[in-house]
Amino acid sequence: MNHFPHGWGRPRDDIYGPYDHTYLSHSQSSGPNQHTQQPAVTGTSVLAAKFKDGVVIAADNLASYGSLARFTDVKRLHKFGEHAILGIGGDVSDMQYISRILNELDIDENYGSTGNTLNAKNLHTYLSKVMYARRTKINPLWNAILVAGLDGVGRPFLSSVDLLGTTFSSPTLATGYGSYLAQPLLRKLAETEDEVANVTREKAEKAVREALKVLFYRDARSLDRFSIAVVTKQGIELMEDEQLEGQSWAFADRIKGYGTQVN
Amino acid sequence: MFIARSEYDRGINTFSPEGRLFQVEYSLEAIKHGSTAIGVRYPGAQLLLTLSILTRLSLKQVATSEGVILGVEKRVQSTLLETSSVEKILEIDSHIGCAMSGLQADARSMIEHARVESQSHAFHYNEQLRVESCTQAICDLALRFGEGADGEESIMSRPFGVALLIAGVDEDGPQLYHAEPSGTFYRYDAKAIGSGSEGAQAELQNEYHKSLTLAEAETLVLKTLKQVMEEKLDAKNVQLASTTPGKGFRIYSDEEMAEVVGRLPSN
Amino acid sequence: MAFIHPSSLLPSSNPSYSFREGIKSSAPGIQEHRFSPYADNGGSTLGIAGKDFTIIAGDTRQSSGYSINTRYAPKVFRIGGDDDSGTGAKIILAVTGFAADGNALKERLDSMVKMYKYQHGKDISVKACAQRLATILYSKRFFPYYTQAILGGIDEEGVGALYSYDYVGSYEREQCRAVGAAASLIMPFLDNQVNLKNQYVPGSGVGHDLKAKAAEPLEQSHVEQLVRDAFSGAVERHIEVGDGLQMLIATKDGIREIYTPLKRD
C-alpha cells in the first residue's frame, strides 16, 4: 500500500509490466458497464497505536482531488458504539458510504433491548466481509481502513482492512504514505504485542502526533489540521479540530523557489 | 370421519385443533394399501464368532458375514405382465439400496434425490455417503410440500405416498432404516411395511434372533412374505436384494431367486 | 458530440505533479489501469508427513511489495475446531499467496468441516477434507482463490497425511512440500533431507553403481529441527520471509503449536 491511492489494488508495473491499453475499448460511453476503477477525492494516511489501556488513532482533515487540496475540513475518524472508532483513507465518497452503512448498523443494533453491543473486533470482522465482498464483485470500496477500540474482553484492539479485503493487525499501524514514513517511527513504541504493556497513553499519543508532523512535512497531500481519538474503557475521546504544533520551517528560507522567494 | 376433518383438509399444512396434519396422516394410509416390503438385518457375527475360533478366521472376515436382506412382493395382476418390469427394489449407490411400498412413482423422485446426494458426497468428499446421512437426505425432502415459506420454493403439492426401507453398508456395518412420508426415520433389525405389514411384523418379532445367517434371513423374508401375500409365492412375484460389506448392494438375479425360493419348505 | 469522460480530468494512476503532463501512451484511448482483485502477500509454508505425525509450518510475516504489513499474521490454521482457538481440531491448513483469499478459503473449509460433523455424526477424515478442499478451489476455477494450500493431519490408518494443491484444486498426497515465496529455496532442501535425494551410500560404487540411500521415516524431533533450519535458511535469502515461525504438529492426540522467533530484518 503506497502513497498513491490511485495505484492501490492495481497490478504493480514493476511486477506485471505496464497495462496493455489495447484491451480497453476506445470509448467508455459504449461497451460494458464499468465499476469504480479509480478513486476521485481522496484522504491520505491514517495512523494508530495501541497502548496498555487503549488505542490512539489519528488522521488529518484534508480531502484531495488529485493534487488539489479540495476540502480542508473533512472528518475521517468515525465513532461506532461506545468503544470503537475507525479511520478511513482513500476515496472520500466510498468513506461516506461506509459511514452510512455503519450508522444504519448502529441504528439496527440499538433497536434491540441490549443496544449496540458490537465491539471493535466485531466491527473489523464486519467491515472486512464488506470490503472482501465488494472486491470479489470487482467493484471495490477504494479505501484503507484502521479499526481501533476494545475487543470483546476489553483489551485494546487495532486492525486494518483495505480495498482488497486484506486484513492484518499490529501494535501500531499506518495506511498510505504513513506506512512508509510513520509506521517505522511508531514501531519504536512497541515492536511486539507484549511490549504494548509498557506503553502509556501519553507516550502513544505523543508518538502519533509526532508522526503526523513528519507526514505533514513530507506528504504533499496532507494537512496540519487533524482529528485524533483515544479509546479506553472510559469511552472515546475524539478531538476533531487539532492543529499541528511546534513545526519548524526554518530550513525553508534556504531553499530556492520556496514560498515568496522566487530567484 | 371425513366430514369432521374436512375443515382442516383444506390447507395442506394446517394443523387440526388436536395438533395433527391430516394430509400427512392420510399419506401413511396410502402405504397401508401398498404391497408388502420387508427388510431383515442379519448379524451373523455371533454364530461365526464360534466358527472363527475353530477355523481361525480373522475378525475382519467375521464382520463381513453380516448384512441386510430386502424383499418385496410384486403383485402380478396379469399373466401378460412382464414381471421384470415391476421394480420395487432399486439401487441408490453401490453400497445403498431401497425397497418401497405405496405410490411407486413418488419413490422415483426420492430415490433420484438420494442418488444425486450420494454421488455429490462422493464427488465432494472422496468417500461413500453414510446410510444414515442418505436416509436423512431423503427425509429432508418429505416435508417440502404445501405453500412453501416466504422466499422458499415449495416443490410438491402433497406429501409423498410412499415409505422406504433403506438398506446400506458403511463403516458402522450393514444397517436397515425405515423412512416415512412424515419425514421421520428409525433404524431397525427387521421391519415390514405395506398392506401385510401388521402380520409380517408380528412374524418377524417372533422369528428374529441375533444369530441369523444370510440363508436364514433370506428364508425368513420369503416365509414372512408368503404368509401375508394373496397370491401364491413363486420366483417371479417376489424380489430379493442383499447388502453386504463385501459386495455392497445387489439385486438378486432370476437364477438366484429360483434358488432361494426352491429352498422354502413347500406346503 | 465529443464526450469527455470524467476520468480524463482525474489524476492518472502514475505519480502526478503540480504541472500538467501530456498523456503519453502508445495505445489510443483512455489512460487507465483496471482494478486488480489480487495481491501477493508473500510468506512461505511447508509440510512434512511422518510415520504418526504431520508438521505444517509457516512464517508469520505479511507483506505487500517492500512493506511489512505485520510481523504476526498466521498462515497456518486449525480446521474444524470447537471454538475460536481451534481446540479439538485434527486437520491443519496452510495458505500462501493472497492473504484475503487465504482467509476466505480457511473460513469456508472450516465451516464445511463443522457442517460435515453435524450432518454425518463423525469427524471428517483428512482424505475427505482433502477432496472437499479440491472441489472448493475448483468451484472458483474462473475466478480462483489466489492461494497455494497444503492440508495435513492423521489418516484413517494413523499415518501422517499431507496434501498439496494448486490455485484451482489439482492435488496430490505427498511426503513433504514447500510452498510460497521461498518454495524454490526450501523444496530442494526437503528433497535432500527428507527424501534423501542425491544422497548415496558412501563407498557403494562409482557412477551408475552408486547406491542411493533409502528414505526412511524420520523422528518427530528431527523433522522439527529440519523445519527450523529450512526457515532460518529462507529468511537469509528471501525478503518476504521472516519475523516468526509457526509450527503446527498433528498427532493422534490432537494439534500442538510451537512458535519460534525468526529474524525481523
Side-chain angles (χ1 to χ4, degrees), chain B residues 3-182:
Chain B
I3 295 157
R5 283 182 175 182
S6 62
E7 270 201 59
Y8 302 100
D9 284 347
R10 302 248 175 243
I12 204 158
N13 261 325
T14 308
F15 276 113
S16 80
E18 301 91 61
R20 302 160 66 170
L21 288 172
F22 287 134
Q23 290 302 317
V24 174
E25 293 189 15
Y26 298 160
S27 72
L28 300 175
E29 295 297 318
I31 294 147
K32 289 185 184 157
H33 298 118
S35 57
T36 312
I38 293 172
V40 170
R41 193 177 77 90
Y42 59 96
Q46 268 90 349
L47 185 76
L48 279 176
L49 201 65
T50 46
L51 248 177
S52 72
I53 298 161
L54 298 172
T55 59
R56 289 172 177 271
L57 281 170
S58 74
L59 266 175
K60 209 160 192 174
Q61 283 169 291
V62 173
T64 58
S65 65
E66 43 181 353
V68 182
I69 298 293
L70 291 178
V72 291
E73 62 159 318
K74 279 188 170 174
R75 277 192 186 163
V76 182
Q77 317 270 357
S78 156
T79 50
L80 299 177
L81 178 71
E82 180 57 66
T83 56
S84 65
S85 70
V86 182
E87 293 183 290
K88 291 180 180 175
I89 296 184
L90 286 168
E91 180 173 308
I92 289 172
D93 201 339
S94 62
H95 65 301
I96 305 178
C98 73
M100 66 191 73
S101 176
L103 297 179
Q104 274 186 71
D106 280 9
R108 294 206 52 78
S109 60
M110 301 167 88
I111 290 164
E112 170 80 5
H113 180 75
R115 283 173 175 170
V116 170
E117 201 72 19
S118 192
Q119 290 307 311
S120 162
H121 188 89
F123 170 70
H124 281 302
Y125 294 103
N126 187 23
E127 68 179 11
Q128 290 187 317
L129 183 62
R130 282 165 58 99
V131 189
E132 182 177 335
S133 302
C134 178
T135 310
Q136 181 62 259
I138 288 170
C139 288
D140 286 346
L141 264 192
L143 289 177
R144 291 179 61 185
F145 57 83
E147 268 125 81
D150 194 30
E152 187 202 331
E153 198 143 332
S154 159
I155 51 170
M156 297 176 302
S157 55
R158 56 164 173 80
F160 285 124
V162 67
L164 298 181
L165 288 176
I166 298 154
V169 58
D170 58 31
E171 62 263 41
D172 294 334
Q175 292 145 61
L176 171 67
Y177 282 93
H178 170 218
E180 282 188 317
S182 57

Side-chain angles (χ1 to χ4, degrees), chain A residues 119-190:
Chain A
N119 55 52
K121 193 180 170 186
N122 300 142
L123 173 64
H124 176 259
T125 305
Y126 178 80
L127 270 176
S128 70
K129 307 283 165 173
V130 171
M131 298 300 273
Y132 184 72
R134 286 291 295 261
R135 89 93 216 190
T136 302
K137 290 178 194 151
I138 321 289
N139 185 17
L141 294 167
W142 216 283
N143 302 102
I145 304 169
L146 297 188
V147 182
L150 303 178
D151 68 9
V153 288
R155 281 181 311 218
F157 177 89
L158 174 60
S159 200
S160 83
V161 57
D162 66 13
L163 73 168
L164 292 171
T166 313
T167 57
F168 51 89
S169 73
S170 171
T172 61
L173 284 174
T175 70
Y177 209 50
S179 69
Y180 298 110
L181 271 183
Q183 177 72 329
L185 301 169
L186 293 174
R187 277 180 180 155
K188 290 180 188 166
L189 266 184

Side-chain angles (χ1 to χ4, degrees), chain B residues 177-251:
Chain B
Y177 282 93
H178 170 218
E180 282 188 317
S182 57
T184 51
F185 65 88
Y186 292 105
R187 196 152 82 86
Y188 282 90
D189 280 332
K191 177 69 181 166
I193 55 174
S195 58
S197 63
E198 267 184 46
Q201 193 66 38
E203 173 74 5
L204 292 174
Q205 194 79 45
N206 287 334
E207 296 293 313
Y208 187 83
H209 55 90
K210 291 279 183 193
S211 52
L212 281 173
T213 64
L214 166 66
E216 285 168 349
E218 288 169 345
T219 319
L220 175 60
V221 169
L222 286 191
K223 223 174 69 185
T224 313
L225 274 178
K226 189 174 174 178
Q227 283 181 19
V228 296
M229 275 168 64
E230 286 175 13
E231 303 158 44
K232 184 175 157 35
L233 184 146
D234 61 36
K236 292 275 178 200
N237 63 7
V238 286
Q239 179 65 58
L240 288 179
S242 69
T243 312
T244 54
K247 291 180 176 167
F249 178 77
R250 237 167 39 79
I251 296 175

Side-chain angles (χ1 to χ4, degrees), chain A residues 248-259 261:
Chain A
S248 169
W249 292 89
F251 65 91
D253 65 352
R254 292 188 298 277
I255 300 172
K256 284 204 171 173
Y258 215 94
Q261 178 199 0

